[in-house]
Coordinates of all heavy atoms in Angstrom, one line a residue:
M1 N -13.9 -19.3 4.0 CA -14.2 -18.1 3.1 C -13.4 -18.1 1.9 O -12.2 -18.4 1.9 CB -13.8 -16.9 4.1 CG -14.1 -15.5 3.5 SD -13.5 -14.2 4.5 CE -14.6 -14.4 6.0
A2 N -14.0 -17.7 0.8 CA -13.3 -17.7 -0.5 C -12.8 -16.3 -0.9 O -13.6 -15.3 -0.5 CB -14.2 -18.2 -1.5
F3 N -11.7 -16.2 -1.5 CA -11.1 -15.0 -1.8 C -11.0 -14.8 -3.4 O -10.8 -15.9 -4.0 CB -9.7 -14.6 -1.2 CG -9.9 -14.6 0.4 CD1 -9.4 -15.6 1.1 CD2 -10.5 -13.4 1.0 CE1 -9.5 -15.5 2.5 CE2 -10.6 -13.4 2.3 CZ -10.1 -14.5 3.1
V4 N -10.9 -13.6 -3.8 CA -10.6 -13.4 -5.2 C -9.2 -13.9 -5.6 O -8.3 -13.6 -4.9 CB -10.7 -11.9 -5.7 CG1 -10.3 -11.7 -7.0 CG2 -12.2 -11.4 -5.5
T5 N -9.1 -14.7 -6.7 CA -7.8 -15.2 -7.0 C -7.6 -14.8 -8.5 O -8.5 -14.5 -9.3 CB -7.7 -16.8 -6.9 OG1 -8.8 -17.3 -7.7 CG2 -7.9 -17.2 -5.5
G6 N -6.3 -14.9 -8.9 CA -5.9 -14.7 -10.2 C -5.2 -15.8 -10.8 O -4.8 -16.9 -10.0
I7 N -4.9 -15.8 -12.0 CA -4.1 -17.0 -12.7 C -2.7 -16.5 -13.2 O -2.7 -15.4 -13.9 CB -4.9 -17.5 -13.9 CG1 -6.2 -18.0 -13.4 CG2 -4.0 -18.7 -14.6 CD1 -6.3 -19.2 -12.5
K8 N -1.7 -17.1 -12.8 CA -0.3 -16.7 -13.3 C -0.2 -17.2 -14.7 O -0.9 -18.1 -15.1 CB 0.8 -17.3 -12.4 CG 0.8 -17.0 -11.0 CD 1.9 -17.7 -10.2 CE 1.7 -17.4 -8.8 NZ 2.6 -18.3 -8.0
K9 N 0.9 -16.8 -15.4 CA 1.1 -17.3 -16.8 C 1.4 -18.8 -16.8 O 1.0 -19.4 -17.9 CB 2.3 -16.5 -17.3 CG 2.6 -16.7 -18.7 CD 3.9 -15.8 -19.2 CE 4.1 -16.0 -20.7 NZ 5.4 -15.3 -21.1
N10 N 1.8 -19.3 -15.7 CA 2.1 -20.9 -15.8 C 0.8 -21.5 -15.4 O 0.9 -22.8 -15.3 CB 3.3 -21.2 -15.0 CG 2.9 -20.9 -13.5 OD1 1.9 -20.5 -13.1 ND2 4.0 -21.0 -12.6
G11 N -0.3 -20.9 -15.3 CA -1.6 -21.6 -15.0 C -1.8 -21.7 -13.5 O -2.9 -22.0 -13.2
S12 N -0.9 -21.5 -12.6 CA -1.2 -21.6 -11.2 C -1.9 -20.4 -10.7 O -1.8 -19.3 -11.3 CB 0.1 -21.9 -10.4 OG 1.0 -20.7 -10.5
S13 N -2.6 -20.6 -9.5 CA -3.4 -19.5 -9.1 C -2.6 -18.7 -8.0 O -1.7 -19.2 -7.3 CB -4.8 -20.0 -8.6 OG -4.5 -20.8 -7.4
W14 N -3.1 -17.5 -7.8 CA -2.5 -16.6 -6.6 C -3.6 -15.8 -6.1 O -4.6 -15.6 -6.8 CB -1.4 -15.9 -7.1 CG -1.7 -14.8 -8.1 CD1 -2.1 -14.9 -9.4 CD2 -1.7 -13.3 -7.9 NE1 -2.3 -13.7 -10.0 CE2 -2.2 -12.7 -9.1 CE3 -1.3 -12.5 -6.7 CZ2 -2.2 -11.3 -9.1 CZ3 -1.5 -11.1 -6.9 CH2 -1.9 -10.5 -8.0
T15 N -3.4 -15.4 -4.8 CA -4.4 -14.6 -4.1 C -4.0 -13.2 -4.1 O -2.9 -13.0 -3.2 CB -4.8 -15.2 -2.8 OG1 -5.3 -16.5 -3.0 CG2 -5.9 -14.4 -2.1
P16 N -4.5 -12.2 -4.7 CA -4.0 -10.8 -4.7 C -4.2 -10.3 -3.2 O -5.2 -10.6 -2.6 CB -4.9 -10.0 -5.6 CG -5.4 -11.1 -6.6 CD -5.5 -12.3 -5.8
Q17 N -3.2 -9.5 -2.8 CA -3.3 -8.9 -1.4 C -3.3 -7.4 -1.6 O -2.4 -6.7 -1.8 CB -2.0 -9.3 -0.7 CG -1.8 -10.7 -0.4 CD -2.8 -11.3 0.5 OE1 -3.2 -10.6 1.6 NE2 -3.2 -12.5 0.3
F18 N -4.6 -7.0 -1.6 CA -4.9 -5.5 -1.9 C -4.6 -4.6 -0.7 O -4.8 -4.9 0.4 CB -6.4 -5.4 -2.2 CG -6.9 -6.2 -3.4 CD1 -7.5 -7.4 -3.2 CD2 -6.6 -5.7 -4.6 CE1 -7.9 -8.1 -4.4 CE2 -7.0 -6.5 -5.8 CZ -7.6 -7.7 -5.6
V19 N -4.0 -3.4 -1.1 CA -3.6 -2.5 -0.1 C -4.7 -2.1 0.7 O -5.8 -1.7 0.1 CB -2.7 -1.3 -0.7 CG1 -3.6 -0.3 -1.5 CG2 -1.9 -0.6 0.4
S20 N -4.6 -2.0 2.0 CA -5.8 -1.4 2.8 C -5.4 -0.2 3.6 O -6.3 0.7 3.8 CB -6.3 -2.5 3.8 OG -5.4 -3.1 4.5
S21 N -4.2 -0.1 4.1 CA -3.9 1.0 5.0 C -2.4 1.2 5.0 O -1.6 0.3 4.7 CB -4.4 0.9 6.4 OG -3.8 -0.1 7.0
I22 N -2.0 2.4 5.5 CA -0.6 2.8 5.8 C -0.6 3.3 7.2 O -1.3 4.3 7.6 CB 0.0 3.8 4.9 CG1 0.0 3.3 3.4 CG2 1.4 4.2 5.3 CD1 0.5 4.2 2.3
D23 N 0.4 2.7 8.1 CA 0.6 3.2 9.4 C 1.2 4.6 9.4 O 2.4 4.7 9.3 CB 1.4 2.2 10.2 CG 1.4 2.5 11.6 OD1 1.2 3.6 12.1 OD2 1.6 1.5 12.4
K24 N 0.4 5.6 9.8 CA 1.0 7.0 9.7 C 1.9 7.2 10.9 O 2.8 8.2 10.8 CB -0.1 8.0 9.6 CG -0.9 8.1 10.9 CD -2.0 9.1 10.7 CE -2.7 9.2 12.0 NZ -4.0 10.1 11.9
E25 N 1.9 6.4 11.8 CA 2.8 6.6 13.0 C 4.3 6.1 12.7 O 5.3 6.6 13.2 CB 2.3 5.9 14.2 CG 0.9 6.3 14.7 CD 0.9 7.8 15.0 OE1 1.8 8.4 15.5 OE2 -0.2 8.3 14.8
V26 N 4.4 5.2 11.7 CA 5.5 4.6 11.4 C 6.2 5.1 10.1 O 7.4 5.1 9.9 CB 5.5 3.1 11.3 CG1 6.7 2.3 10.9 CG2 4.8 2.5 12.6
C27 N 5.3 5.6 9.2 CA 5.7 6.1 7.8 C 6.7 7.2 8.0 O 6.4 8.2 8.8 CB 4.5 6.4 7.1 SG 4.8 7.1 5.5
I28 N 7.7 7.2 7.2 CA 8.8 8.3 7.2 C 8.6 9.2 5.9 O 9.5 10.1 5.6 CB 10.3 7.8 7.3 CG1 10.5 6.7 6.3 CG2 10.4 7.1 8.7 CD1 12.0 6.2 6.2
G29 N 7.7 8.8 5.0 CA 7.5 9.7 3.9 C 8.5 9.5 2.8 O 8.7 10.4 2.0
C30 N 9.2 8.4 2.7 CA 10.3 8.3 1.8 C 9.8 8.0 0.3 O 10.7 8.2 -0.5 CB 11.2 7.1 2.1 SG 10.4 5.5 2.0
A31 N 8.6 7.7 0.1 CA 8.0 7.6 -1.2 C 8.4 6.4 -2.0 O 8.1 6.3 -3.2 CB 8.2 8.8 -2.0
R32 N 9.1 5.5 -1.4 CA 9.6 4.2 -2.1 C 8.3 3.5 -2.6 O 8.3 2.9 -3.6 CB 10.4 3.4 -1.2 CG 11.8 4.0 -1.0 CD 12.7 3.0 -0.2 NE 13.8 3.9 0.3 CZ 14.7 3.3 1.1 NH1 14.7 2.1 1.5 NH2 15.8 4.0 1.4
C33 N 7.3 3.4 -1.8 CA 6.1 2.7 -2.2 C 5.4 3.4 -3.3 O 4.9 2.8 -4.3 CB 5.1 2.6 -0.8 SG 4.8 4.3 -0.2
F34 N 5.3 4.7 -3.2 CA 4.8 5.6 -4.3 C 5.5 5.3 -5.6 O 4.7 5.1 -6.6 CB 4.8 7.0 -3.9 CG 4.4 8.0 -4.9 CD1 3.1 8.2 -5.1 CD2 5.3 8.7 -5.7 CE1 2.5 9.1 -6.0 CE2 4.8 9.5 -6.6 CZ 3.5 9.8 -6.8
K35 N 6.7 5.2 -5.6 CA 7.5 5.0 -6.9 C 7.3 3.5 -7.4 O 7.5 3.3 -8.6 CB 8.9 5.2 -6.6 CG 9.2 6.7 -6.4 CD 10.7 7.0 -6.0 CE 11.0 8.5 -5.7 NZ 12.2 8.6 -5.0
S36 N 7.1 2.6 -6.4 CA 7.0 1.2 -6.9 C 5.6 0.8 -7.4 O 5.4 -0.1 -8.1 CB 7.5 0.3 -5.8 OG 6.4 0.3 -4.8
C37 N 4.6 1.7 -7.1 CA 3.2 1.3 -7.6 C 3.0 1.8 -9.0 O 3.0 3.0 -9.3 CB 2.2 1.9 -6.6 SG 0.5 1.5 -7.1
A38 N 2.7 0.9 -9.9 CA 2.3 1.2 -11.3 C 0.9 1.5 -11.5 O 0.5 1.8 -12.6 CB 2.8 0.0 -12.2
Y39 N 0.1 1.6 -10.5 CA -1.3 1.8 -10.6 C -1.8 2.9 -9.9 O -3.0 3.2 -9.8 CB -2.0 0.5 -10.1 CG -1.7 -0.7 -11.0 CD1 -0.6 -1.5 -10.8 CD2 -2.4 -0.9 -12.2 CE1 -0.3 -2.5 -11.6 CE2 -2.1 -1.9 -13.0 CZ -1.0 -2.8 -12.9 OH -0.7 -3.7 -13.7
G40 N -1.0 3.8 -9.4 CA -1.3 5.1 -9.0 C -2.2 5.0 -7.7 O -3.1 5.9 -7.6
C41 N -2.0 4.1 -6.8 CA -2.9 3.9 -5.7 C -2.5 4.8 -4.4 O -3.3 4.9 -3.5 CB -2.8 2.5 -5.2 SG -3.3 1.3 -6.6
L42 N -1.3 5.3 -4.4 CA -0.7 5.9 -3.2 C -0.5 7.4 -3.6 O -0.1 7.8 -4.7 CB 0.5 5.2 -2.8 CG 0.4 3.7 -2.7 CD1 1.7 3.1 -2.3 CD2 -0.7 3.3 -1.6
G43 N -0.5 8.2 -2.5 CA -0.1 9.7 -2.8 C 0.4 10.2 -1.4 O 0.1 9.8 -0.4
P44 N 1.2 11.4 -1.6 CA 1.7 12.0 -0.3 C 0.7 12.8 0.3 O -0.2 13.3 -0.3 CB 2.8 12.9 -0.9 CG 2.5 13.2 -2.3 CD 1.7 11.9 -2.8
Y45 N 0.8 13.0 1.7 CA -0.1 13.7 2.5 C 0.7 14.4 3.6 O 1.5 13.8 4.3 CB -1.1 12.7 3.0 CG -2.1 13.2 4.0 CD1 -3.2 14.0 3.6 CD2 -2.0 12.8 5.4 CE1 -4.1 14.4 4.6 CE2 -2.9 13.3 6.3 CZ -4.0 14.1 5.9 OH -4.9 14.5 6.8
E46 N 0.3 15.6 3.8 CA 1.0 16.3 4.9 C 0.3 16.3 6.2 O -0.9 16.7 6.2 CB 1.2 17.8 4.5 CG 2.0 18.6 5.5 CD 2.4 20.0 5.0 OE1 1.6 20.9 5.2 OE2 3.4 20.2 4.3
I47 N 0.9 15.9 7.2 CA 0.2 15.9 8.6 C 0.8 17.0 9.5 O 2.1 17.2 9.5 CB 0.2 14.6 9.3 CG1 1.6 13.9 9.4 CG2 -0.7 13.6 8.5 CD1 1.6 12.7 10.4
E48 N -0.1 17.6 10.3 CA 0.5 18.6 11.3 C 0.8 17.9 12.5 O 0.1 17.0 13.0 CB -0.6 19.6 11.5 CG -1.2 20.4 10.3 CD -0.2 21.4 9.7 OE1 0.6 21.9 10.6 OE2 -0.3 21.7 8.5
E49 N 2.0 18.4 13.0 CA 2.3 17.8 14.4 C 2.6 19.0 15.3 O 2.3 20.1 14.9 CB 3.6 16.9 14.3 CG 3.3 15.7 13.4 CD 4.4 14.7 13.5 OE1 5.5 15.0 13.7 OE2 4.1 13.4 13.5
E50 N 2.8 18.8 16.6 CA 2.9 19.9 17.5 C 3.5 21.3 16.9 O 2.8 22.3 16.9 CB 3.6 19.4 18.8 CG 2.6 18.8 19.8 CD 3.3 18.4 21.0 OE1 4.1 19.2 21.5 OE2 3.0 17.3 21.6
D51 N 4.8 21.2 16.6 CA 5.4 22.4 16.1 C 5.9 22.3 14.7 O 6.7 23.0 14.2 CB 6.7 22.7 17.0 CG 6.3 23.0 18.4 OD1 5.2 23.5 18.7 OD2 7.1 22.5 19.3
D52 N 5.4 21.3 14.0 CA 6.0 21.0 12.8 C 4.9 20.3 11.8 O 3.8 20.0 12.3 CB 7.1 19.9 13.0 CG 8.2 20.0 11.9 OD1 8.0 20.8 10.9 OD2 9.3 19.4 12.1
A53 N 5.4 20.0 10.6 CA 4.5 19.3 9.7 C 5.4 18.3 9.0 O 6.6 18.6 8.8 CB 3.8 20.2 8.7
R54 N 5.0 17.1 8.6 CA 5.8 16.1 7.9 C 4.9 15.5 6.8 O 3.7 15.4 7.0 CB 6.4 15.2 8.8 CG 5.5 14.2 9.5 CD 6.3 13.4 10.4 NE 5.4 12.5 11.2 CZ 5.1 11.2 11.0 NH1 5.7 10.7 9.9 NH2 4.2 10.5 11.7
M55 N 5.6 15.0 5.8 CA 4.9 14.3 4.7 C 4.8 12.8 5.1 O 5.8 12.2 5.5 CB 5.6 14.5 3.4 CG 5.6 16.0 2.9 SD 4.0 16.6 2.6 CE 3.6 15.6 1.1
I56 N 3.8 12.2 4.8 CA 3.6 10.6 4.9 C 2.9 10.3 3.5 O 2.5 11.1 2.7 CB 2.9 10.3 6.1 CG1 1.4 10.9 6.2 CG2 3.6 10.6 7.4 CD1 0.5 10.1 7.1
M57 N 2.8 9.0 3.5 CA 2.1 8.5 2.2 C 0.7 7.9 2.7 O 0.5 7.5 3.9 CB 2.9 7.3 1.7 CG 2.5 6.9 0.2 SD 2.9 8.5 -0.8 CE 4.5 8.8 -0.5
Q58 N -0.2 8.0 1.8 CA -1.6 7.5 2.2 C -2.1 6.7 1.0 O -1.7 6.9 -0.1 CB -2.6 8.6 2.6 CG -2.9 9.6 1.7 CD -4.0 10.5 2.0 OE1 -4.6 10.4 3.2 NE2 -4.2 11.5 1.2
V59 N -3.1 5.9 1.2 CA -3.8 5.2 0.1 C -4.9 6.2 -0.5 O -5.7 6.7 0.3 CB -4.4 3.9 0.7 CG1 -5.2 3.2 -0.5 CG2 -3.5 3.1 1.3
T60 N -4.6 6.5 -1.7 CA -5.6 7.5 -2.4 C -6.4 6.9 -3.4 O -7.5 7.5 -3.8 CB -4.7 8.6 -3.1 OG1 -3.8 7.9 -3.9 CG2 -4.0 9.4 -2.0
N61 N -6.1 5.7 -3.8 CA -7.0 5.1 -4.9 C -6.9 3.5 -4.8 O -6.4 2.9 -5.7 CB -6.5 5.5 -6.2 CG -7.5 5.1 -7.4 OD1 -8.6 4.6 -7.2 ND2 -7.0 5.2 -8.6
D62 N -7.5 3.1 -3.8 CA -7.4 1.7 -3.4 C -8.1 0.8 -4.4 O -7.9 -0.4 -4.6 CB -7.8 1.3 -2.0 CG -9.3 1.6 -1.7 OD1 -9.9 2.4 -2.4 OD2 -9.8 1.1 -0.7
G63 N -9.1 1.4 -5.1 CA -10.0 0.8 -6.1 C -9.1 0.3 -7.4 O -9.5 -0.5 -8.1
N64 N -7.9 0.9 -7.4 CA -7.1 0.6 -8.7 C -6.1 -0.4 -8.4 O -5.3 -0.8 -9.2 CB -6.4 1.8 -9.2 CG -6.3 2.0 -10.7 OD1 -7.3 1.6 -11.3 ND2 -5.3 2.4 -11.2
C65 N -6.0 -0.9 -7.1 CA -4.9 -1.7 -6.7 C -5.2 -3.2 -7.2 O -6.3 -3.7 -7.3 CB -5.0 -1.9 -5.2 SG -3.8 -3.0 -4.4
I66 N -4.1 -3.8 -7.7 CA -4.2 -5.2 -8.2 C -3.7 -6.2 -7.2 O -3.6 -7.4 -7.5 CB -3.4 -5.3 -9.5 CG1 -1.9 -5.1 -9.3 CG2 -3.9 -4.3 -10.6 CD1 -1.0 -5.6 -10.5
G67 N -3.3 -5.7 -6.0 CA -2.8 -6.6 -4.9 C -1.4 -7.3 -5.2 O -1.2 -8.4 -4.7
C68 N -0.5 -6.6 -5.8 CA 0.7 -7.1 -6.2 C 1.8 -7.2 -5.1 O 2.8 -7.8 -5.0 CB 1.3 -6.4 -7.3 SG 1.8 -4.7 -7.0
R69 N 1.6 -6.2 -4.0 CA 2.5 -6.0 -2.9 C 3.8 -5.5 -3.2 O 4.7 -5.5 -2.4 CB 2.6 -7.3 -2.0 CG 1.3 -7.8 -1.4 CD 1.5 -8.9 -0.5 NE 1.9 -8.4 0.8 CZ 3.1 -8.6 1.4 NH1 4.0 -9.2 0.7 NH2 3.3 -8.0 2.5
A70 N 4.0 -4.9 -4.4 CA 5.3 -4.2 -4.7 C 5.5 -3.2 -3.8 O 6.7 -2.9 -3.3 CB 5.3 -3.7 -6.1
C71 N 4.5 -2.3 -3.3 CA 4.7 -1.3 -2.4 C 5.3 -1.8 -1.1 O 6.3 -1.2 -0.6 CB 3.4 -0.5 -2.2 SG 2.0 -1.7 -1.8
S72 N 4.9 -2.9 -0.6 CA 5.3 -3.4 0.7 C 6.7 -3.9 0.5 O 7.5 -3.8 1.5 CB 4.4 -4.5 1.2 OG 3.4 -4.0 2.0
K73 N 7.0 -4.4 -0.6 CA 8.4 -4.9 -0.7 C 9.4 -3.8 -0.8 O 10.5 -4.0 -0.3 CB 8.5 -5.8 -2.1 CG 9.8 -6.4 -2.3 CD 9.6 -7.6 -3.3 CE 10.9 -8.4 -3.3 NZ 11.0 -9.4 -4.3
A74 N 9.0 -2.6 -1.2 CA 9.9 -1.4 -1.3 C 10.0 -0.7 0.0 O 10.8 0.1 0.3 CB 9.3 -0.5 -2.4
C75 N 8.9 -0.9 0.9 CA 8.9 -0.1 2.1 C 9.9 -0.6 3.1 O 9.9 -1.7 3.6 CB 7.5 -0.1 2.7 SG 7.3 0.7 4.2
P76 N 10.8 0.3 3.7 CA 11.8 -0.2 4.6 C 11.2 -0.2 6.0 O 11.9 -0.6 7.0 CB 12.8 1.0 4.6 CG 12.1 2.3 4.2 CD 11.0 1.7 3.3
K77 N 10.0 0.3 6.3 CA 9.4 0.4 7.6 C 8.3 -0.6 7.9 O 7.7 -0.7 9.0 CB 8.9 1.8 7.8 CG 10.0 2.8 7.7 CD 11.1 2.7 8.7 CE 10.7 3.3 10.0 NZ 11.8 3.3 11.0
G78 N 7.8 -1.3 6.9 CA 6.7 -2.3 7.0 C 5.4 -1.6 7.4 O 4.6 -2.1 8.3
C79 N 5.2 -0.5 6.8 CA 4.0 0.2 7.1 C 2.6 -0.2 6.4 O 1.5 0.3 7.0 CB 4.1 1.7 6.6 SG 5.6 2.6 7.1
L80 N 2.7 -0.8 5.3 CA 1.5 -1.1 4.6 C 0.8 -2.4 5.0 O 1.5 -3.5 5.2 CB 1.8 -1.2 3.1 CG 2.4 0.1 2.5 CD1 3.9 0.1 2.1 CD2 1.6 0.6 1.3
T81 N -0.4 -2.4 5.0 CA -1.3 -3.5 5.3 C -2.1 -3.9 4.1 O -2.5 -3.1 3.3 CB -2.3 -3.1 6.5 OG1 -1.6 -2.7 7.6 CG2 -3.1 -4.4 6.8
H82 N -2.1 -5.2 3.9 CA -2.9 -5.8 2.6 C -3.9 -6.7 3.1 O -3.7 -7.5 4.1 CB -1.8 -6.4 1.8 CG -0.7 -5.5 1.2 ND1 -0.8 -4.9 0.0 CD2 0.3 -5.0 1.8 CE1 0.2 -4.3 -0.2 NE2 1.0 -4.2 0.9
E83 N -4.9 -7.0 2.4 CA -5.8 -7.9 2.7 C -6.5 -8.6 1.4 O -6.5 -7.9 0.3 CB -7.1 -7.3 3.4 CG -6.8 -6.8 4.7 CD -7.9 -6.0 5.2 OE1 -9.0 -5.8 4.6 OE2 -7.7 -5.3 6.4
P84 N -6.8 -9.9 1.3 CA -7.4 -10.3 0.2 C -8.8 -9.9 0.2 O -9.4 -9.4 1.1 CB -7.4 -11.9 0.4 CG -7.4 -12.0 2.1 CD -6.6 -10.8 2.5
L85 N -9.4 -10.0 -1.0 CA -10.8 -9.6 -1.3 C -11.7 -10.8 -1.3 O -11.6 -11.7 -2.0 CB -10.9 -8.8 -2.6 CG -12.2 -8.2 -3.0 CD1 -12.6 -7.1 -2.0 CD2 -12.2 -7.6 -4.3
E86 N -12.8 -10.7 -0.5 CA -13.8 -11.8 -0.4 C -14.5 -12.0 -1.7 O -14.8 -10.9 -2.3 CB -14.8 -11.5 0.7 CG -14.5 -12.1 2.0 CD -15.8 -11.9 2.9 OE1 -16.9 -12.4 2.7 OE2 -15.5 -11.2 3.9
A87 N -14.5 -13.2 -2.2 CA -15.1 -13.5 -3.6 C -16.7 -13.4 -3.4 O -17.2 -13.7 -2.3 CB -14.7 -14.8 -4.0
Ligands
SF4_101 S1 -0.3 -3.7 -3.9 FE1 0.6 -3.2 -6.0 S2 -1.1 -2.0 -7.0 FE2 -1.6 -2.2 -4.8 S3 -0.9 -0.2 -4.0 FE3 0.7 -1.8 -3.7 S4 2.1 -1.6 -5.5 FE4 0.1 -0.5 -6.0
SF4_102 S1 7.7 3.2 1.6 FE1 7.0 2.9 3.8 S2 8.0 4.6 4.9 FE2 8.3 5.1 2.7 S3 6.5 6.4 2.3 FE3 6.0 4.4 1.8 S4 4.8 3.7 3.5 FE4 6.0 5.3 4.2

């Protein structure tokens, strides 16, 4: 299977890993991923729980993702999943 690839400045190729999901059971809503994304792909979301509500992050604009994985590098909980795009 072939995937979409990019070219680095030095001419070598790389395979973007586009964001696909955030594990809402693990996310603590710290927003580190949100702050690290320069492409506006993520946004906060409030979920209701039994007696409470809490903020988590969700993928709001995956179409703008460049697959850099900066969000995952910033996340302390390993919540984000990425996938290459089929060419
Ligand atoms: S992979 Fe890069 S562009 Fe995509 S959501 Fe994460 S930080 Fe943003
Ligand atoms: S960095 Fe990780 S734990 Fe923090 S809001 Fe983003 S996905 Fe959730």
Side-chain angles (χ1 to χ4, degrees):
M1 187 180 297
F3 296 109
V4 169
T5 59
I7 304 292
K8 296 178 192 170
K9 190 176 179 183
N10 66 10
S12 63
S13 66
W14 67 291
T15 303
Q17 298 290 326
F18 299 101
V19 72
S20 56
S21 64
I22 295 176
D23 187 338
K24 67 181 183 189
E25 303 302 327
V26 181
C27 178
I28 56 172
C30 68
R32 290 182 194 176
C33 57
F34 175 77
K35 291 174 188 167
S36 71
C37 180
Y39 293 89
C41 303
L42 311 173
Y45 174 70
E46 187 174 85
I47 55 170
E48 303 286 336
E49 297 195 324
E50 271 182 39
D51 298 325
D52 210 353
R54 68 183 174 100
M55 295 299 292
I56 60 166
M57 204 59 57
Q58 66 176 351
V59 180
T60 52
N61 187 11
D62 64 341
N64 218 37
C65 180
I66 64 164
C68 66
R69 296 191 82 251
C71 50
S72 273
K73 191 159 186 188
C75 177
K77 305 293 283 183
C79 309
L80 296 112
T81 302
H82 299 258
E83 296 170 3
L85 185 65
E86 264 187 66

